[in-house]
Amino acid sequence: MMLVKLGGSVITDKVRYRTFREEVLSRLVDEITSAQKEIILVHGAGSFGHIIAAQHQLQHGFSDISQIAGVAKVMEDVRELDLKVLKVLNLGGLPSVSLPPSAVASLRCGELDDLNVEMFRRYLELGMCPVTFGDVVLDRERRFGICSGDQLMERLAREFRPERVIFCSDVDGVFTADPARDPDAELIETVSRETLDALPRTKRCADVTGSIFGKLETMMRIASWGGDAIVLNGGIPGRLEAALRGETVVGSKVVSGTV
Amino acid sequence: MMLVKLGGSVITDKVRYRTFREEVLSRLVDEITSAQKEIILVHGAGSFGHIIAAQHQLQHGFSDISQIAGVAKVMEDVRELDLKVLKVLNLGGLPSVSLPPSAVASLRCGELDDLNVEMFRRYLELGMCPVTFGDVVLDRERRFGICSGDQLMERLAREFRPERVIFCSDVDGVFTADPARDPDAELIETVSRETLDALPRTKRCADVTGSIFGKLETMMRIASWGGDAIVLNGGIPGRLEAALRGETVVGSKVVSGTV
């Protein structure tokens, strides 16, 4: 089984509110169906989630009642994105079912507490592709919070122990420096604990949003459970398919421990 | 707390595939917000569900692999209807969250086995209106099946013991005969066990689809747990709001036992 995340920066324009990149997703879905693997798919919320969530400060949980309309609006928007994803998947010949975190997950102090993995398992057994995504979710301490695609990836990897765990980003992988600013930036093909500790902490790599370090720590835990943890550029045709087929591909592979 | 079902025949055109009645729903949502009650909302799937579900014979569960694309398509279509409902609710000032049965429920031989009522409770506590709907759902024996809005109404009524349980239909209530064919048909204001047993079994009343008798048996069980079980015409402005306010309204009230 393969666990694939389509980053919000790949399937949406992250800075323009609710802008869906349908053609990119259609191509990625073609690559997934061509590879003929059993898949669980996670997608980011991108500009369908982050913009309004930040306006209402949803990431820190409940502070006042005026946020509730924001919670409902972000949930509505990410469901809209998810429905678009679902349509492309079904049309592409991959019968899919969406399991929204707001319905199947719960946080505790921002950490993923419960996830109904049984539902994912039963739909896989039925021959369907379970789909989930970054969402606003109930939190037992803070009343609500944000459940990221990466938190879902980690839990699903722990439960299902996939052959490969693939993160589709909008850059080629992890670099020694910011490739957009530093001409000497080099792609790191294998990221170990040593590499991670040696990376300059101010540089952005692999994802324009959030910290790459948090993502790499997540990927390192995933790698520690066996299986490959790979970050690659979903914007370049063929890379996701090659990774799904088990081929070597331009990208960064995260390995647990030192090399 | 009030439990309200908006029948598929009220919010969609049941015979035309995927035809949504947005203006009817907007008015009903205005009536709900005006009444200012704590609400759980259930809606039917109408023409977003029944047509394709029947084509693929989904109601009897798994018979061959070709049905799986149908399962995915019906789920996609009912999510699309649900998203439309959610938008009207949020826009109408009722912050809502959708809990799709395909993600929070499970059947056993066509009967509702599990429903994650805890999720409904927690969203109510947060001040949101939980919304659910008729859907294709996993079945422990038949692999999948149809979970109707009425099955959800019964379980939610049992768990939450609402003050009133209101079914919005496209006719005024239960009649002594089919009001569309028999000019002498009379609305039955109070339906008891005796009334139900005396109804002519060939007549349609209260709902053009499925058996009214099944619905009335469900409503009778609901009434047996206390609270009122009412069927009324959602197509007539003001009736839902009046019922939510606890007023007497044109419709049929189902009472448990004999009168």
Side-chain angles (χ1 to χ4, degrees), chain B residues 50 74 83 112 119-120 128 136 178 196 241:
Chain B
H50 297 193
V74 173
L83 184 61
L112 185 54
M119 279 285 176
F120 288 80
M128 295 180 75
V136 186
D178 182 351
L196 179 55
E241 184 173 346

Side-chain angles (χ1 to χ4, degrees), chain A residues 222-242:
Chain A
I222 291 172
S224 76
W225 301 322
D228 291 342
I230 296 163
V231 53
L232 54 77
N233 194 337
I236 310 288
R239 290 196 185 164
L240 174 59
E241 184 173 347

Side-chain angles (χ1 to χ4, degrees), chain A residues 47-231:
Chain A
S47 57
F48 286 71
H50 297 193
I51 297 170
I52 304 279
Q55 279 173 13
H56 291 270
Q57 302 263 312
L58 303 186
Q59 71 277 23
H60 306 306
F62 184 85
S63 58
D64 80 82
I65 195 76
S66 70
Q67 291 174 300
I68 302 301
V71 168
K73 182 59 181 160
V74 173
M75 283 177 178
E76 178 197 306
D77 285 347
V78 295
R79 294 280 177 109
E80 184 169 328
L81 172 63
D82 182 60
L83 184 61
K84 289 174 189 287
V85 172
L86 213 61
K87 283 181 191 221
V88 174
L89 288 164
N90 287 337
L91 213 62
L94 199 68
S96 300
V97 54
S98 153
L99 296 170
S102 38
V104 298
S106 185
L107 304 175
R108 188 181 293 275
C109 292
E111 299 293 324
L112 185 54
D113 192 28
D114 302 316
L115 178 69
N116 189 347
V117 288
E118 172 73 3
M119 278 284 175
F120 289 80
R121 202 180 306 277
R122 290 174 70 191
Y123 281 111
L124 274 179
E125 284 168 7
L126 191 59
M128 295 180 76
C129 170
V131 178
T132 191
F133 50 88
D135 199 0
V136 187
V137 165
L138 290 167
D139 187 302
R140 292 190 191 276
E141 301 294 331
R142 302 174 181 170
R143 306 194 69 185
F144 59 77
I146 304 290
C147 177
S148 72
D150 286 356
Q151 283 172 300
L152 295 161
M153 288 294 280
E154 181 170 344
R155 177 63 61 92
L156 291 166
R158 198 180 80 187
E159 296 288 339
F160 289 95
R161 303 295 162 106
E163 249 174 279
R164 287 197 145 181
V165 178
I166 303 167
F167 290 79
C168 295
S169 175
D170 61 345
V171 291
D172 285 353
V174 184
F175 286 84
T176 52
D178 182 352
R181 298 180 197 195
D182 188 339
D184 295 330
E186 279 175 36
L187 181 69
I188 310 172
E189 288 183 8
T190 306
V191 180
S192 64
R193 167 56 56 197
E194 294 163 308
T195 335
L196 179 56
D197 291 342
L199 276 177
R201 291 272 148 176
T202 53
K203 297 293 184 293
R204 68 153 225 193
C205 334
D207 198 342
V208 291
T209 64
S211 161
I212 179 65
F213 295 101
K215 187 190 279 282
L216 289 174
E217 292 290 354
T218 301
M219 290 180 73
M220 210 151 273
R221 283 190 293 276
I222 291 172
S224 76
W225 301 322
D228 291 342
I230 296 163
V231 53

Side-chain angles (χ1 to χ4, degrees), chain B residues 4 15 58 68 79 81 84 99 103 126 164 188 213 221:
Chain B
V4 176
V15 295
L58 303 186
I68 301 300
R79 294 278 179 111
L81 172 63
K84 288 174 189 288
L99 296 169
L126 190 60
R164 287 196 145 182
I188 309 171
F213 296 101
R221 282 191 295 276

Side-chain angles (χ1 to χ4, degrees), chain B residues 120-198:
Chain B
F120 288 80
R121 201 180 307 276
R122 290 174 70 191
Y123 280 112
L124 274 179
E125 284 168 6
L126 190 60
M128 295 180 75
C129 170
V131 178
T132 191
F133 49 89
D135 199 359
V136 186
V137 166
L138 289 167
D139 188 302
R140 292 191 190 277
E141 301 295 329
R142 301 173 182 170
R143 305 194 69 187
F144 59 77
I146 304 290
C147 176
S148 72
D150 287 356
Q151 283 171 300
L152 295 162
M153 288 293 279
E154 181 171 344
R155 176 63 60 91
L156 291 167
R158 199 181 79 188
E159 296 288 338
F160 289 95
R161 304 294 164 107
E163 249 174 279
R164 287 196 145 182
V165 179
I166 303 167
F167 290 79
C168 295
S169 174
D170 62 345
V171 292
D172 285 353
V174 185
F175 286 83
T176 52
D178 182 351
R181 299 179 197 198
D182 188 339
D184 296 329
E186 280 175 36
L187 181 68
I188 309 171
E189 288 182 9
T190 306
V191 180
S192 64
R193 168 56 56 197
E194 293 164 307
T195 336
L196 179 55
D197 290 343

Side-chain angles (χ1 to χ4, degrees), chain A residues 30-52:
Chain A
D30 285 348
E31 295 189 30
I32 290 170
T33 49
S34 296
Q36 293 186 298
K37 300 281 180 177
E38 196 178 50
I39 301 261
I40 295 178
L41 201 67
V42 175
H43 64 80
S47 57
F48 286 71
H50 297 193
I51 297 170
I52 304 279

